[in-house]
Amino acid sequence: HIVLVDRPAADVSAPLVASDTAPAITELVDHLVATGRREIGMISGPEQAGTTRERVAALRDALAAHELQLRSDRLWVGDYRRESGRELMKEMLDEGTTPQALLVGNGRMALGVLETLSSYPAVVPQLARDLALAAIDDLEVFPLVHPSITAIEQPSREMGRQAFTSLLARMGGHDVGSVRLPCTLRLRESTDPR
């Protein structure tokens, strides 16, 4: 008996318990556009990850609702590790391609982004003004840094509870469907109006 958690697996037919980031991404884009940011980019995870494809699609759809698009030169592909966030942010700063707002595909890569920004002292005080930053995953440190970091909080504990409940049900011979749990947008200083 199998229940998948967080992401689907190729060639595995089993119920999935995952978060639904799309509504929170839409809410974030609405907020960013309302605060005058129209050049919105993303550091995604690896292209082969189902969650990456879903998140990029959600961002494209949210931008399209404002007659905007996710340009190819505003989509950077990371690998969900801190180092890739650090390197991709450095690339943006060195090449002058930093968008007005940046959604980072997970918390570890967002830490790498912050690490790079801290090594560019002239940029850090302008984080909320010149670069609105948001991350998928709300790490404990995000409310503590200055400026505090806007994040999309995934319901990790509830996902674990639901997965365990689904697994027990399957073991008991019951049919179990997939479940998508809503995420919560935590607006903080890093996306304050300019």
Side-chain angles (χ1 to χ4, degrees):
H1 301 285
I2 296 173
V3 173
L4 301 172
V5 180
D6 193 39
R7 55 184 52 108
D11 302 325
V12 176
S13 178
L16 169 69
V17 177
S19 62
D20 183 3
T21 56
I25 289 172
T26 297
E27 187 180 350
L28 173 65
V29 169
D30 291 347
H31 169 74
L32 293 170
V33 171
T35 60
R37 296 165 172 114
R38 299 182 65 76
E39 289 181 19
I40 300 171
M42 181 179 195
I43 296 178
S44 74
E47 294 172 329
Q48 69 271 18
T51 51
T52 293
R53 290 189 301 275
E54 289 174 1
R55 292 168 183 177
V56 170
L59 181 58
R60 287 185 197 284
D61 291 346
L63 289 168
H66 293 278
E67 298 181 2
L68 300 172
Q69 58 182 292
L70 179 59
R71 297 182 358 213
S72 61
D73 64 339
R74 295 285 187 248
L75 178 61
W76 296 267
V77 178
D79 61 12
Y80 287 141
R81 293 179 314 125
R82 184 177 184 163
E83 295 77 19
S84 69
R86 183 175 54 234
E87 290 303 314
L88 290 168
M89 187 72 237
K90 183 179 182 318
E91 178 184 313
M92 283 179 233
L93 292 169
D94 289 347
E95 295 176 3
T97 58
T98 307
Q100 294 172 334
L102 182 65
L103 174 60
V104 184
N106 79 346
R108 287 187 301 268
M109 290 191 302
L111 289 175
V113 167
L114 291 172
E115 193 175 338
T116 294
L117 291 174
S118 70
S119 66
Y120 285 76
V123 176
V124 174
Q126 299 145 8
L127 183 55
R129 189 185 74 210
D130 296 331
L131 172 62
L133 180 64
I136 297 173
D137 293 338
D138 191 14
L139 301 185
E140 290 180 0
V141 70
F142 288 166
L144 305 175
V145 297
H146 182 73
S148 57
I149 306 302
T150 290
I152 294 174
E153 179 182 6
Q154 297 190 81
S156 301
R157 287 184 186 197
E158 182 57 30
M159 285 169 53
R161 276 193 282 279
Q162 184 64 50
F164 184 69
T165 300
S166 296
L167 182 59
L168 289 177
R170 288 199 81 191
M171 292 170 64
H174 302 284
D175 287 332
V176 175
S178 293
V179 177
R180 292 276 180 173
L181 299 170
C183 294
T184 304
L185 177 62
R186 303 286 183 205
L187 289 173
R188 298 194 182 104
E189 296 167 332
S190 67
T191 57
D192 277 352
R194 300 192 262 182

